Amino acid sequence: MTSTRWLAEYAWLPERAAPTPEVLIETVNGRITAVTPLSPGGPPDAGVDVLADAVWLPGLTLPGLANAHSHAFHRALRGHTHGGRGDFWSWRDQMYAVTARLNPDSYLALARAVYAEMALAGITCVGEFHYLHHGAGGTPYDDPNAMSAALVEAAAHAGIRLTLLDTCYLTATVDGQPLTGSQLRFGDGDALRWADRVSAFTPDGRHARLGAAIHSVRAVPAEQLATVAGWAHRRDAPLHVHLSEQPAENDACRAVHGRTPTGLLADHGVLGPATTAVHATHPTSGDIGLLGESRSGVCLCPTTERDLADGIGPARRMAEAGIPLSLGSDSHAVIDPFEEARAVELDERLRTRKRGHFAPAELLHAASAAGHAALGWTDAGRIAVGGRADLVTVRLDSVRTAGVAPAGVWFAAGAADVTQVVVDGRVLVRDGHHLTVDVPQELADAIAEVTP
Ligand SMILES: [Zn+2]
């Protein structure tokens, strides 16, 4: 039995508007067994002697943060595509060039470094929206799930949990044009063959679980959407889908199907409480109604959406409709949950020219419990008895955070302010350093390997 007592200078507990000072958090075998605020008027026996064995956590301790939308290999493009003009579609061409260099070995090395970068930022769980399944020309590897296995192993090395969202990707356009070039590696032929391949895969390790994804209405023909959704529903697995990231997708879907992408997904049984729509940058009012009524979630990826000039999603309107919001770093132009979270509020300010749309506790919820729930880990993301012992400690004495009110970290801190990360009770990051991965070196080496 491994038991630890942690004494947090501040901890952000569930349903609290702001952090609580001096909180004793007890964990046994990776679970939180007691949470005790010590002041003011803490328990009578909580004297100095009783706390002598507790691990002191200076700063603010948050629950584990969840990155609900990742394409690990996009990290290789950071800093290579940002100077010039172009748009989502030209960026995508550059992204495809990287895929040509990826195989199970090079992807393992790259993803391990990227997931370790996430750990340094306080991310204890990632949703990998995985569509790079096959070898050159679309020829399956000897193990058709070799790339999936590489990603699961990468997360184990990096020490974080992973939901592998195995992505069905069959066509190039809404009107069913076939995959060509780099895209051939994404395709399984049809949704039934996708389901057969995914069903044959069991992630190796308790840190990983399997979910499904529909790449987008561009990539899965309407009559095959229900096959993917049915696979996820039968297994009670998370189901994710890129949705309305670009107005062009809406226009094409209306032209072909006479429906918005959200409407098409609703028609084919894709929406529901286990479903997360990624982006939802350009939904109609009717789309927001469909998402809310079906209790589907939305994963916002603000740093990617601004990098790709996608636009600003109607975050507050979606929240008002009852849609749970989670966060993802998607293309990894930035891996910083603080930047992602504050962007939700700050983008809304730019659009409305008013302040105060999301309370700090709502930003925390999106970055933690809501993200974990969207990935199927409903027992994580809260510092509460019975929850997974994920603790992310943020320093309050850096040049960015000195003098900041603890609740204000969402508007002041960055990933570099994370000093310690505990995942399932195990210390993964200490003093801002990953304990098993030399993250900058491994990133540099892995990216050099796959950059054209
Ligand atoms: Zn994406």
Side-chain angles (χ1 to χ4, degrees):
M1 188 173 84
T2 307
S3 82
T4 309
R5 290 146 61 83
W6 314 86
L7 180 56
E9 184 181 6
Y10 293 92
W12 208 321
L13 305 180
E15 323 304 338
R16 302 289 179 93
T20 300
E22 291 184 35
V23 179
L24 183 66
I25 303 163
E26 298 175 68
T27 63
V28 177
N29 291 342
R31 293 277 168 179
I32 297 171
T33 54
V35 179
T36 313
L38 300 184
S39 66
D45 61 346
V48 173
D49 290 348
V50 176
L51 298 175
D53 65 335
V55 179
W56 174 239
L57 299 174
L60 168 61
T61 295
L62 303 170
L65 306 179
N67 189 354
H69 189 66
S70 161
H71 309 282
F73 74 91
H74 292 191
R75 173 64 179 82
L77 293 166
R78 184 189 297 176
H80 293 275
T81 68
H82 302 278
R85 294 173 69 91
D87 58 11
F88 171 88
W89 308 101
S90 59
W91 169 86
R92 195 179 67 160
D93 289 340
Q94 292 174 275
M95 183 264 284
Y96 284 168
V98 170
T99 65
R101 305 285 190 99
L102 286 166
N103 57 49
D105 290 334
S106 59
Y107 207 0
L108 170 60
L110 177 59
R112 163 186 155 101
V114 174
Y115 295 156
E117 180 184 356
M118 291 184 194
L120 287 175
I123 291 162
T124 57
C125 184
V126 60
E128 180 66 30
F129 197 106
H130 167 55
Y131 53 82
L132 185 57
H133 303 303
H134 302 300
T139 305
Y141 291 106
D142 291 342
D143 169 5
N145 288 302
M147 289 296 239
S148 302
L151 292 163
V152 169
E153 188 179 351
H157 291 181
I160 67 174
R161 291 190 301 276
L162 170 136
T163 297
L164 188 85
L165 299 159
D166 194 300
T167 305
C168 187
Y169 197 134
L170 305 172
T171 52
T173 58
V174 177
D175 61 359
Q177 292 297 310
L179 303 179
T180 57
S182 305
Q183 295 175 330
L184 290 168
R185 298 185 62 189
F186 311 159
D188 289 295
D190 61 42
L192 287 173
R193 276 183 277 179
W194 166 86
D196 284 346
R197 179 181 55 73
V198 182
S199 297
F201 181 62
T202 304
D204 184 14
R206 293 174 60 192
H207 70 294
R209 66 170 66 221
L210 194 55
I214 290 163
H215 180 275
S216 59
V217 298
R218 294 195 304 278
V220 178
E223 70 279 6
Q224 297 189 55
L225 291 169
T227 302
V228 183
W231 184 94
H233 294 157
R234 280 193 297 281
R235 291 169 173 251
D236 207 15
L239 172 62
H240 287 218
V241 53
H242 287 134
L243 183 69
S244 293
E245 180 175 7
Q246 292 288 322
E249 176 187 303
N250 290 2
D251 296 344
C253 193
R254 278 203 184 89
V256 174
H257 299 292
R259 303 281 276 139
T260 64
T262 305
L264 191 69
L265 296 180
D267 287 350
H268 292 275
V270 175
L271 302 184
T275 298
T276 296
V278 180
H279 301 300
T281 309
H282 301 283
T284 64
S285 295
D287 293 339
I288 293 172
L290 287 171
L291 292 166
E293 288 157 20
S294 62
R295 294 186 292 134
S296 304
V298 164
C299 178
L300 304 168
C301 306
T303 65
T304 292
E305 289 148 11
R306 72 189 183 200
D307 184 56
L308 296 179
D310 289 341
I312 300 171
R316 188 69 245 175
R317 281 177 59 209
M318 293 197 287
E320 294 300 326
I323 298 169
L325 301 180
S326 55
L327 300 170
S329 64
D330 190 4
S331 69
H332 312 311
V334 173
I335 294 178
D336 186 335
F338 301 93
E339 182 64 30
E340 222 68 64
R342 63 176 156 261
V344 175
E345 164 67 17
L346 297 178
D347 287 356
E348 200 75 33
R349 291 182 188 182
L350 284 175
R351 190 225 319 271
T352 60
R353 289 181 284 161
K354 291 199 176 88
R355 307 177 84 209
H357 303 275
F358 288 90
E362 289 180 283
L363 301 180
L364 167 65
H365 184 74
S368 56
H372 282 99
L375 298 174
W377 304 89
T378 51
D379 56 353
R382 297 158 64 89
I383 301 178
V385 173
R388 287 175 178 269
D390 297 349
L391 302 172
V392 173
T393 302
V394 184
R395 60 189 297 185
L396 296 175
D397 62 354
S398 76
V399 291
R400 290 163 295 275
T401 58
V404 169
V409 293
W410 294 107
F411 295 95
D417 296 313
V418 172
T419 51
Q420 175 152 310
V421 177
V422 174
V423 182
D424 288 329
R426 206 164 53 94
V427 177
L428 183 62
V429 172
R430 185 179 284 138
D431 297 328
H433 294 283
H434 197 289
L435 294 186
T436 58
V437 179
D438 180 346
V439 182
Q441 188 63 52
E442 291 203 16
L443 280 170
D445 292 346
I447 291 169
E449 187 75 24
V450 301
T451 308

